[in-house]
Amino acid sequence: MSDRVYSKTAGWQDMAAGGVIPQAGNAEEYATGGWRTFRPVRDDEKCIDCLQCWIYCPDNAIKVIDQKVSGIPYDLVHCKGCGVCAAICPVKCIEMKPETDFEDEN
Ligand code: SF4
Ligand code: SF4
């Protein structure tokens, strides 16, 4: 059993502030992909560069150069492995693979 003591009179004003996000896009400044358990792997032969994965990626981890994603690596520093890109891809050319498959590369 926990030995923590909770005040019966403390209100929310007495709590320490947490989860403050002072500006949009501030996660760009630090690595957020460290807890990824699955990694997106794209088959560039099948990719039609429709850019839907780029539109839907919640972590801005898909890079686009000259309106193409194929041939360009993912930003794995920020990719959290959510699988949205694989789910949205109309030609199903993205496979989510376990990070354990890449242990030799890390
Ligand atoms: S959604 Fe699929 S086909 Fe479209 S750009 Fe992304 S990987 Fe390529
Ligand atoms: S797995 Fe999620 S975070 Fe990673 S590239 Fe795909 S949509 Fe973006």
Side-chain angles (χ1 to χ4, degrees):
M1 186 167 168
S2 171
D3 57 358
R4 289 184 182 174
V5 177
Y6 298 95
S7 168
K8 291 180 181 174
T9 56
W12 65 268
Q13 300 95 330
D14 304 307
M15 306 286 283
V20 176
I21 301 174
Q23 72 216 27
N26 60 357
E28 189 178 1
E29 297 167 12
Y30 49 89
T32 57
W35 48 266
R36 183 182 58 251
T37 54
F38 285 90
R39 176 183 300 204
V41 176
R42 183 178 52 233
D43 182 344
D44 285 343
E45 295 290 318
K46 294 181 185 169
C47 174
I48 58 174
D49 284 305
C50 68
L51 303 188
Q52 290 202 49
C53 55
W54 173 71
I55 292 168
Y56 280 91
C57 174
D59 291 301
N60 201 20
I62 295 174
K63 301 176 187 174
V64 175
I65 298 175
D66 294 335
Q67 299 185 6
K68 291 184 184 298
V69 298
S70 55
I72 303 162
Y74 293 88
D75 173 4
L76 294 174
V77 172
H78 294 101
C79 168
K80 296 190 184 75
C82 65
V84 167
C85 55
I88 203 71
C89 178
V91 296
K92 300 297 174 204
C93 68
I94 303 172
E95 185 180 350
M96 299 303 294
K97 293 194 172 184
E99 273 298 317
T100 49
D101 288 0
F102 303 93
E103 281 175 347
D104 292 342
E105 297 179 20
N106 296 331

